[in-house]
Amino acid sequence: MTSPDPSATSRYPAGSAAFPHRDLTGLAELAPWELLYLMDEAEQWVDLNRSASKRDERLHGLTIINAFFENSTRTLLSFEIAGKRLGADVVNMHAAQSSVKKGETLIDTAMTLNAMHADAIVIRHQSSGAVQLIADKVDCPVLNAGDGQHEHPTQGLLDALTIRHSKGEIAGLIVTICGDILHSRVARSNIHCLTTLGAQVRVCAPPALMPAGIEQMKVTPYYDFDAALDGADVVMMLRLQQERMSGQFIPSPREYRHLYGLTLERLARAKPDALVMHPGPMNRGVEIDSNVADLAGRSAITRQVEMGVAIRMACLDVLTRKARGVEGWA
Ligand code: CP
């Protein structure tokens, strides 16, 4: 594994001592140095999380609310662990057990959370743009934990960090993202992040699951998975997001696997050391075979989860610095 030098501050422009955004709603608007800054900040937390104590008290006394309007395993738990490892009080709100079920609007829910003087709010919502709507209404930093088909910024960052740990640099890599591109916020955040950092991104999907005009995102679309895999450094597989589909987008899971599933035979078309990634949850035997998902030395899927905790610690730390009166951030 190649570890970058986290003290390489020369990559930041002069005078950029502070991350200049209150919220993290997406990666589309972030400059290369801002993406690198959050990734570099996460390196210390990768090390801490591998140590015995796993504790740092810098967020002691702060309250973080995780408001999840959609199901989650990785993102919810890693934000909770991230906040707790930094000493914060972390409260989880699951929409299914909240007054949302009694008809409360998103804005009223946001105003309610705001009145509780949270120091940061982490939101996952099924509607694109819902997180920005809440950010516009509250007084504290808001972190997007995935909104509809729009963005999943901490996933994009953790994926970039995972790639950097394996490959050393992101610039110049060929990254193939294959699956349900149309409905995927993970694909969008990864495209923003990886193209901004200089990777060549190929996206591959059946025609019905490829967004119109995707070329405008500086990626190359492919409909033939074998061609998309040729010479790739990284292969990122995405699941079919049935919960966002109305109507039939693929003939059958069996046919989908035949054309777009990552098998060992197909993986051989990529570079011999190509990294295999998946944000989870996986549908084994559909978009990825088990012997690929579990391939030692090549699959980074559990490493992605590990990097997720570190990235979320970095984001919570950086975005609450102003409120904590950290020097240079007031
Ligand atoms: N990758 C991801 O967002 O997973 P969860 O839905 O389990 O949070």
Short mmCIF file of all heavy atoms in Angstrom, two decimals, residues 48-107:
data_model
loop_
_atom_site.label_atom_id
_atom_site.label_comp_id
_atom_site.label_asym_id
_atom_site.label_seq_id
_atom_site.Cartn_x
_atom_site.Cartn_y
_atom_site.Cartn_z
N LEU A 48 -5.38 6.63 13.48
CA LEU A 48 -6.00 6.51 14.81
C LEU A 48 -6.92 5.28 14.87
O LEU A 48 -6.92 4.53 15.86
CB LEU A 48 -6.80 7.77 15.16
CG LEU A 48 -7.41 7.72 16.55
CD1 LEU A 48 -6.45 8.32 17.59
CD2 LEU A 48 -8.74 8.46 16.63
N ASN A 49 -7.70 5.10 13.82
CA ASN A 49 -8.67 4.00 13.82
C ASN A 49 -8.00 2.63 13.82
O ASN A 49 -8.61 1.63 14.20
CB ASN A 49 -9.62 4.12 12.62
CG ASN A 49 -10.56 5.31 12.76
OD1 ASN A 49 -10.82 5.78 13.87
ND2 ASN A 49 -11.05 5.82 11.65
N ARG A 50 -6.72 2.60 13.39
CA ARG A 50 -5.97 1.33 13.41
C ARG A 50 -5.23 1.14 14.73
O ARG A 50 -4.60 0.10 14.93
CB ARG A 50 -4.98 1.29 12.25
CG ARG A 50 -5.67 1.14 10.90
CD ARG A 50 -4.70 1.23 9.75
NE ARG A 50 -5.38 1.08 8.46
CZ ARG A 50 -4.81 1.26 7.29
NH1 ARG A 50 -3.54 1.59 7.20
NH2 ARG A 50 -5.50 1.11 6.17
N SER A 51 -5.30 2.14 15.60
CA SER A 51 -4.61 2.04 16.89
C SER A 51 -5.54 1.41 17.93
O SER A 51 -6.72 1.20 17.67
CB SER A 51 -4.14 3.42 17.35
OG SER A 51 -5.26 4.16 17.81
N ALA A 52 -4.99 1.16 19.09
CA ALA A 52 -5.79 0.49 20.13
C ALA A 52 -6.84 1.42 20.73
O ALA A 52 -7.97 1.00 21.00
CB ALA A 52 -4.86 -0.03 21.23
N SER A 53 -6.53 2.71 20.91
CA SER A 53 -7.44 3.57 21.69
C SER A 53 -8.59 4.12 20.85
O SER A 53 -9.72 4.23 21.31
CB SER A 53 -6.67 4.71 22.31
OG SER A 53 -6.42 5.72 21.36
N LYS A 54 -8.32 4.51 19.61
CA LYS A 54 -9.33 5.04 18.67
C LYS A 54 -10.07 6.25 19.23
O LYS A 54 -11.22 6.49 18.85
CB LYS A 54 -10.37 3.97 18.31
CG LYS A 54 -9.83 2.71 17.68
CD LYS A 54 -10.98 1.80 17.26
CE LYS A 54 -10.51 0.44 16.84
NZ LYS A 54 -9.83 -0.31 17.90
N ARG A 55 -9.49 7.03 20.11
CA ARG A 55 -10.21 8.16 20.71
C ARG A 55 -9.46 9.47 20.52
O ARG A 55 -8.23 9.52 20.58
CB ARG A 55 -10.40 7.94 22.22
CG ARG A 55 -11.33 6.83 22.57
CD ARG A 55 -12.77 7.08 22.19
NE ARG A 55 -13.39 8.16 22.95
CZ ARG A 55 -14.67 8.49 22.86
NH1 ARG A 55 -15.46 7.82 22.02
NH2 ARG A 55 -15.17 9.46 23.58
N ASP A 56 -10.25 10.52 20.31
CA ASP A 56 -9.74 11.89 20.26
C ASP A 56 -10.94 12.71 20.72
O ASP A 56 -12.05 12.45 20.29
CB ASP A 56 -9.34 12.26 18.83
CG ASP A 56 -8.78 13.66 18.73
OD1 ASP A 56 -9.55 14.63 18.86
OD2 ASP A 56 -7.57 13.78 18.51
N GLU A 57 -10.72 13.65 21.59
CA GLU A 57 -11.85 14.33 22.23
C GLU A 57 -12.14 15.71 21.65
O GLU A 57 -12.83 16.51 22.27
CB GLU A 57 -11.60 14.45 23.75
CG GLU A 57 -11.59 13.12 24.48
CD GLU A 57 -12.93 12.38 24.41
OE1 GLU A 57 -13.99 13.02 24.44
OE2 GLU A 57 -12.89 11.13 24.29
N ARG A 58 -11.68 15.99 20.44
CA ARG A 58 -11.80 17.36 19.95
C ARG A 58 -13.23 17.83 19.72
O ARG A 58 -13.48 19.03 19.69
CB ARG A 58 -10.96 17.57 18.69
CG ARG A 58 -11.43 16.86 17.46
CD ARG A 58 -10.47 17.06 16.32
NE ARG A 58 -9.15 16.55 16.66
CZ ARG A 58 -8.04 16.82 15.97
NH1 ARG A 58 -8.10 17.58 14.92
NH2 ARG A 58 -6.90 16.30 16.34
N LEU A 59 -14.19 16.92 19.57
CA LEU A 59 -15.59 17.35 19.43
C LEU A 59 -16.37 17.20 20.74
O LEU A 59 -17.60 17.23 20.73
CB LEU A 59 -16.29 16.56 18.32
CG LEU A 59 -15.71 16.64 16.90
CD1 LEU A 59 -16.71 16.11 15.88
CD2 LEU A 59 -15.28 18.04 16.51
N HIS A 60 -15.64 17.09 21.86
CA HIS A 60 -16.31 16.94 23.16
C HIS A 60 -17.29 18.11 23.39
O HIS A 60 -16.94 19.27 23.19
CB HIS A 60 -15.28 16.91 24.29
CG HIS A 60 -15.91 16.81 25.65
ND1 HIS A 60 -16.42 15.63 26.14
CD2 HIS A 60 -16.14 17.76 26.60
CE1 HIS A 60 -16.93 15.85 27.35
NE2 HIS A 60 -16.77 17.13 27.64
N GLY A 61 -18.49 17.79 23.80
CA GLY A 61 -19.49 18.82 24.07
C GLY A 61 -20.36 19.18 22.87
O GLY A 61 -21.36 19.87 23.01
N LEU A 62 -19.98 18.72 21.69
CA LEU A 62 -20.78 19.00 20.49
C LEU A 62 -21.85 17.92 20.31
O LEU A 62 -21.67 16.77 20.71
CB LEU A 62 -19.89 19.02 19.24
CG LEU A 62 -19.33 20.39 18.83
CD1 LEU A 62 -18.55 21.03 19.94
CD2 LEU A 62 -18.50 20.28 17.57
N THR A 63 -22.97 18.36 19.71
CA THR A 63 -24.07 17.43 19.43
C THR A 63 -24.22 17.29 17.92
O THR A 63 -24.36 18.29 17.21
CB THR A 63 -25.40 17.97 20.02
OG1 THR A 63 -25.22 18.15 21.43
CG2 THR A 63 -26.54 17.00 19.76
N ILE A 64 -24.17 16.05 17.45
CA ILE A 64 -24.34 15.77 16.02
C ILE A 64 -25.61 14.96 15.85
O ILE A 64 -25.81 13.95 16.53
CB ILE A 64 -23.13 15.00 15.47
CG1 ILE A 64 -21.87 15.87 15.58
CG2 ILE A 64 -23.36 14.56 14.03
CD1 ILE A 64 -20.58 15.12 15.37
N ILE A 65 -26.47 15.42 14.95
CA ILE A 65 -27.70 14.67 14.67
C ILE A 65 -27.57 14.02 13.30
O ILE A 65 -27.30 14.68 12.30
CB ILE A 65 -28.94 15.60 14.69
CG1 ILE A 65 -29.11 16.24 16.08
CG2 ILE A 65 -30.19 14.81 14.31
CD1 ILE A 65 -30.29 17.19 16.21
N ASN A 66 -27.74 12.70 13.26
CA ASN A 66 -27.82 11.96 12.01
C ASN A 66 -29.30 11.76 11.68
O ASN A 66 -29.98 10.99 12.37
CB ASN A 66 -27.16 10.58 12.15
CG ASN A 66 -25.66 10.68 12.34
OD1 ASN A 66 -25.01 11.55 11.78
ND2 ASN A 66 -25.12 9.77 13.14
N ALA A 67 -29.81 12.49 10.69
CA ALA A 67 -31.23 12.38 10.32
C ALA A 67 -31.33 11.60 9.03
O ALA A 67 -30.99 12.11 7.95
CB ALA A 67 -31.83 13.77 10.16
N PHE A 68 -31.76 10.35 9.13
CA PHE A 68 -31.79 9.46 7.97
C PHE A 68 -33.23 9.16 7.57
O PHE A 68 -33.97 8.51 8.31
CB PHE A 68 -31.00 8.18 8.26
CG PHE A 68 -29.51 8.36 8.00
CD1 PHE A 68 -28.78 9.34 8.66
CD2 PHE A 68 -28.85 7.57 7.07
CE1 PHE A 68 -27.43 9.53 8.41
CE2 PHE A 68 -27.49 7.76 6.79
CZ PHE A 68 -26.78 8.74 7.46
N PHE A 69 -33.59 9.65 6.38
CA PHE A 69 -34.93 9.45 5.84
C PHE A 69 -34.96 8.24 4.90
O PHE A 69 -35.98 7.95 4.30
CB PHE A 69 -35.38 10.71 5.07
CG PHE A 69 -35.52 11.91 5.95
CD1 PHE A 69 -34.42 12.68 6.30
CD2 PHE A 69 -36.76 12.30 6.44
CE1 PHE A 69 -34.54 13.79 7.10
CE2 PHE A 69 -36.90 13.41 7.25
CZ PHE A 69 -35.78 14.17 7.59
N GLU A 70 -33.81 7.60 4.73
CA GLU A 70 -33.66 6.42 3.87
C GLU A 70 -32.77 5.42 4.60
O GLU A 70 -31.93 5.83 5.40
CB GLU A 70 -32.92 6.82 2.58
CG GLU A 70 -33.65 6.57 1.30
CD GLU A 70 -32.75 6.83 0.09
OE1 GLU A 70 -31.52 6.86 0.21
OE2 GLU A 70 -33.32 7.00 -0.98
N ASN A 71 -32.91 4.15 4.28
CA ASN A 71 -32.12 3.12 4.96
C ASN A 71 -30.62 3.27 4.69
O ASN A 71 -30.22 3.78 3.64
CB ASN A 71 -32.55 1.73 4.50
CG ASN A 71 -33.94 1.40 4.98
OD1 ASN A 71 -34.46 2.05 5.89
ND2 ASN A 71 -34.56 0.41 4.38
N SER A 72 -29.84 2.82 5.63
CA SER A 72 -28.38 2.85 5.49
C SER A 72 -27.76 1.92 6.50
O SER A 72 -28.26 1.77 7.62
CB SER A 72 -27.87 4.28 5.76
OG SER A 72 -26.46 4.30 5.85
N THR A 73 -26.67 1.28 6.12
CA THR A 73 -25.84 0.55 7.09
C THR A 73 -24.52 1.28 7.23
O THR A 73 -24.17 1.81 8.30
CB THR A 73 -25.59 -0.90 6.63
OG1 THR A 73 -26.85 -1.57 6.55
CG2 THR A 73 -24.69 -1.65 7.59
N ARG A 74 -23.75 1.35 6.13
CA ARG A 74 -22.39 1.91 6.17
C ARG A 74 -22.35 3.38 6.56
O ARG A 74 -21.58 3.79 7.45
CB ARG A 74 -21.72 1.74 4.80
CG ARG A 74 -21.21 0.35 4.52
CD ARG A 74 -21.28 0.06 3.03
NE ARG A 74 -22.67 -0.18 2.68
CZ ARG A 74 -23.22 -1.39 2.70
NH1 ARG A 74 -22.48 -2.44 2.93
NH2 ARG A 74 -24.52 -1.56 2.45
N THR A 75 -23.16 4.19 5.88
CA THR A 75 -23.04 5.64 6.06
C THR A 75 -23.51 6.04 7.47
O THR A 75 -22.84 6.82 8.15
CB THR A 75 -23.86 6.37 4.98
OG1 THR A 75 -23.56 5.79 3.72
CG2 THR A 75 -23.54 7.85 4.96
N LEU A 76 -24.65 5.51 7.89
CA LEU A 76 -25.16 5.87 9.22
C LEU A 76 -24.20 5.42 10.31
O LEU A 76 -23.81 6.21 11.19
CB LEU A 76 -26.54 5.23 9.44
CG LEU A 76 -27.14 5.46 10.83
CD1 LEU A 76 -27.34 6.94 11.12
CD2 LEU A 76 -28.46 4.72 10.98
N LEU A 77 -23.79 4.15 10.26
CA LEU A 77 -22.91 3.65 11.33
C LEU A 77 -21.56 4.35 11.32
O LEU A 77 -21.00 4.66 12.39
CB LEU A 77 -22.72 2.14 11.20
CG LEU A 77 -23.93 1.29 11.59
CD1 LEU A 77 -23.62 -0.18 11.40
CD2 LEU A 77 -24.35 1.55 13.03
N SER A 78 -21.03 4.64 10.14
CA SER A 78 -19.70 5.27 10.12
C SER A 78 -19.78 6.72 10.56
O SER A 78 -18.85 7.21 11.21
CB SER A 78 -19.02 5.10 8.77
OG SER A 78 -19.77 5.69 7.76
N PHE A 79 -20.86 7.43 10.26
CA PHE A 79 -20.99 8.79 10.80
C PHE A 79 -21.14 8.73 12.33
O PHE A 79 -20.61 9.57 13.05
CB PHE A 79 -22.19 9.52 10.18
CG PHE A 79 -21.81 10.41 9.02
CD1 PHE A 79 -22.29 10.17 7.75
CD2 PHE A 79 -20.98 11.52 9.20
CE1 PHE A 79 -21.94 10.99 6.68
CE2 PHE A 79 -20.63 12.35 8.14
CZ PHE A 79 -21.12 12.08 6.88
N GLU A 80 -21.89 7.74 12.82
CA GLU A 80 -22.06 7.61 14.27
C GLU A 80 -20.72 7.30 14.94
O GLU A 80 -20.33 7.93 15.94
CB GLU A 80 -23.10 6.53 14.58
CG GLU A 80 -23.35 6.39 16.08
CD GLU A 80 -24.51 5.45 16.41
OE1 GLU A 80 -25.14 4.91 15.48
OE2 GLU A 80 -24.78 5.27 17.62
N ILE A 81 -20.00 6.34 14.38
CA ILE A 81 -18.69 5.98 14.94
C ILE A 81 -17.74 7.17 14.85
O ILE A 81 -17.00 7.47 15.80
CB ILE A 81 -18.13 4.74 14.21
CG1 ILE A 81 -18.94 3.51 14.59
CG2 ILE A 81 -16.65 4.53 14.52
CD1 ILE A 81 -18.67 2.29 13.71
N ALA A 82 -17.78 7.87 13.71
CA ALA A 82 -16.87 9.02 13.51
C ALA A 82 -17.11 10.07 14.58
O ALA A 82 -16.16 10.55 15.22
CB ALA A 82 -17.09 9.61 12.12
N GLY A 83 -18.37 10.43 14.81
CA GLY A 83 -18.67 11.45 15.81
C GLY A 83 -18.26 11.00 17.20
O GLY A 83 -17.65 11.76 17.97
N LYS A 84 -18.54 9.74 17.53
CA LYS A 84 -18.22 9.24 18.88
C LYS A 84 -16.71 9.13 19.09
O LYS A 84 -16.21 9.42 20.18
CB LYS A 84 -18.90 7.88 19.10
CG LYS A 84 -20.40 8.04 19.31
CD LYS A 84 -21.09 6.72 19.54
CE LYS A 84 -22.56 6.97 19.93
NZ LYS A 84 -23.35 5.74 19.93
N ARG A 85 -15.97 8.73 18.06
CA ARG A 85 -14.51 8.63 18.22
C ARG A 85 -13.88 10.00 18.42
O ARG A 85 -12.79 10.10 18.97
CB ARG A 85 -13.89 7.92 17.02
CG ARG A 85 -14.16 6.44 17.08
CD ARG A 85 -13.31 5.62 16.14
NE ARG A 85 -13.70 4.21 16.30
CZ ARG A 85 -13.53 3.28 15.38
NH1 ARG A 85 -12.97 3.58 14.22
NH2 ARG A 85 -13.91 2.04 15.62
N LEU A 86 -14.59 11.05 17.98
CA LEU A 86 -14.07 12.41 18.18
C LEU A 86 -14.66 13.05 19.44
O LEU A 86 -14.46 14.24 19.69
CB LEU A 86 -14.36 13.27 16.95
CG LEU A 86 -13.60 12.85 15.68
CD1 LEU A 86 -14.05 13.68 14.48
CD2 LEU A 86 -12.09 13.00 15.88
N GLY A 87 -15.43 12.29 20.20
CA GLY A 87 -15.90 12.77 21.50
C GLY A 87 -17.24 13.48 21.48
O GLY A 87 -17.67 14.01 22.52
N ALA A 88 -17.93 13.52 20.35
CA ALA A 88 -19.22 14.23 20.28
C ALA A 88 -20.35 13.37 20.85
O ALA A 88 -20.22 12.15 20.96
CB ALA A 88 -19.53 14.58 18.82
N ASP A 89 -21.45 14.05 21.19
CA ASP A 89 -22.70 13.34 21.49
C ASP A 89 -23.42 13.16 20.17
O ASP A 89 -23.69 14.15 19.46
CB ASP A 89 -23.56 14.15 22.45
CG ASP A 89 -22.86 14.37 23.80
OD1 ASP A 89 -22.29 13.39 24.32
OD2 ASP A 89 -22.85 15.51 24.29
N VAL A 90 -23.73 11.92 19.82
CA VAL A 90 -24.33 11.62 18.51
C VAL A 90 -25.73 11.07 18.72
O VAL A 90 -25.92 10.14 19.52
CB VAL A 90 -23.47 10.61 17.73
CG1 VAL A 90 -24.08 10.35 16.35
CG2 VAL A 90 -22.04 11.11 17.59
N VAL A 91 -26.70 11.68 18.02
CA VAL A 91 -28.09 11.25 18.13
C VAL A 91 -28.56 10.85 16.73
O VAL A 91 -28.32 11.59 15.77
CB VAL A 91 -28.96 12.41 18.65
CG1 VAL A 91 -30.41 11.96 18.80
CG2 VAL A 91 -28.43 12.95 19.97
N ASN A 92 -29.21 9.70 16.63
CA ASN A 92 -29.72 9.25 15.33
C ASN A 92 -31.22 9.41 15.25
O ASN A 92 -31.94 9.01 16.17
CB ASN A 92 -29.38 7.77 15.10
CG ASN A 92 -27.88 7.54 14.97
OD1 ASN A 92 -27.14 8.44 14.59
ND2 ASN A 92 -27.45 6.34 15.29
N MET A 93 -31.69 10.02 14.15
CA MET A 93 -33.12 10.11 13.89
C MET A 93 -33.46 9.28 12.67
O MET A 93 -32.97 9.55 11.58
CB MET A 93 -33.53 11.57 13.62
CG MET A 93 -35.03 11.77 13.58
SD MET A 93 -35.51 13.23 12.63
CE MET A 93 -35.83 12.47 11.04
N HIS A 94 -34.26 8.24 12.88
CA HIS A 94 -34.69 7.40 11.75
C HIS A 94 -36.09 7.85 11.36
O HIS A 94 -37.00 7.85 12.19
CB HIS A 94 -34.73 5.92 12.16
CG HIS A 94 -33.39 5.40 12.63
ND1 HIS A 94 -32.43 4.96 11.76
CD2 HIS A 94 -32.87 5.30 13.87
CE1 HIS A 94 -31.36 4.58 12.45
NE2 HIS A 94 -31.60 4.78 13.74
N ALA A 95 -36.26 8.23 10.10
CA ALA A 95 -37.55 8.78 9.66
C ALA A 95 -38.71 7.83 9.96
O ALA A 95 -39.80 8.27 10.31
CB ALA A 95 -37.49 9.10 8.18
N ALA A 96 -38.45 6.52 9.85
CA ALA A 96 -39.53 5.55 10.03
C ALA A 96 -40.11 5.61 11.44
O ALA A 96 -41.27 5.26 11.65
CB ALA A 96 -39.03 4.15 9.73
N GLN A 97 -39.31 6.06 12.42
CA GLN A 97 -39.81 6.16 13.80
C GLN A 97 -40.01 7.60 14.22
O GLN A 97 -40.07 7.90 15.41
CB GLN A 97 -38.82 5.50 14.76
CG GLN A 97 -38.72 4.01 14.63
CD GLN A 97 -37.30 3.53 14.41
OE1 GLN A 97 -36.36 4.09 14.93
NE2 GLN A 97 -37.15 2.50 13.60
N SER A 98 -40.12 8.52 13.26
CA SER A 98 -40.19 9.94 13.62
C SER A 98 -41.56 10.51 13.25
O SER A 98 -42.41 9.82 12.68
CB SER A 98 -39.12 10.71 12.84
OG SER A 98 -39.54 10.85 11.49
N SER A 99 -41.73 11.79 13.54
CA SER A 99 -43.01 12.45 13.21
C SER A 99 -43.18 12.72 11.72
O SER A 99 -44.21 13.21 11.30
CB SER A 99 -43.14 13.74 14.02
OG SER A 99 -43.37 13.43 15.37
N VAL A 100 -42.16 12.39 10.91
CA VAL A 100 -42.32 12.41 9.45
C VAL A 100 -43.49 11.49 9.09
O VAL A 100 -44.28 11.78 8.19
CB VAL A 100 -41.02 11.95 8.76
CG1 VAL A 100 -41.23 11.72 7.28
CG2 VAL A 100 -39.91 12.96 9.01
N LYS A 101 -43.60 10.39 9.82
CA LYS A 101 -44.66 9.41 9.56
C LYS A 101 -46.04 9.98 9.88
O LYS A 101 -47.06 9.42 9.48
CB LYS A 101 -44.43 8.14 10.40
CG LYS A 101 -43.30 7.28 9.85
CD LYS A 101 -43.77 6.52 8.62
CE LYS A 101 -42.60 5.93 7.87
NZ LYS A 101 -42.87 5.59 6.49
N LYS A 102 -46.08 11.08 10.67
CA LYS A 102 -47.37 11.71 11.00
C LYS A 102 -47.65 12.89 10.08
O LYS A 102 -48.56 13.66 10.33
CB LYS A 102 -47.35 12.19 12.45
CG LYS A 102 -47.09 11.10 13.47
CD LYS A 102 -46.96 11.72 14.86
CE LYS A 102 -46.33 10.76 15.84
NZ LYS A 102 -45.84 11.45 17.06
N GLY A 103 -46.82 13.06 9.06
CA GLY A 103 -47.09 14.10 8.07
C GLY A 103 -46.27 15.36 8.23
O GLY A 103 -46.49 16.35 7.52
N GLU A 104 -45.29 15.37 9.14
CA GLU A 104 -44.48 16.58 9.31
C GLU A 104 -43.67 16.84 8.04
O GLU A 104 -43.10 15.90 7.45
CB GLU A 104 -43.54 16.40 10.50
CG GLU A 104 -42.78 17.67 10.84
CD GLU A 104 -42.22 17.65 12.26
OE1 GLU A 104 -41.31 16.85 12.52
OE2 GLU A 104 -42.72 18.41 13.10
N THR A 105 -43.59 18.11 7.64
CA THR A 105 -42.86 18.43 6.41
C THR A 105 -41.35 18.42 6.68
O THR A 105 -40.91 18.51 7.83
CB THR A 105 -43.22 19.83 5.89
OG1 THR A 105 -42.75 20.79 6.84
CG2 THR A 105 -44.71 19.98 5.65
N LEU A 106 -40.61 18.39 5.57
CA LEU A 106 -39.16 18.40 5.68
C LEU A 106 -38.68 19.70 6.33
O LEU A 106 -37.78 19.69 7.19
CB LEU A 106 -38.56 18.25 4.27
CG LEU A 106 -37.06 18.11 4.18
CD1 LEU A 106 -36.57 16.88 4.94
CD2 LEU A 106 -36.62 18.01 2.72
N ILE A 107 -39.30 20.80 5.95
CA ILE A 107 -38.88 22.09 6.50
C ILE A 107 -39.17 22.14 8.01
O ILE A 107 -38.33 22.59 8.80
CB ILE A 107 -39.63 23.26 5.80
CG1 ILE A 107 -39.30 23.27 4.30
CG2 ILE A 107 -39.31 24.60 6.45
CD1 ILE A 107 -37.88 23.60 3.96
#
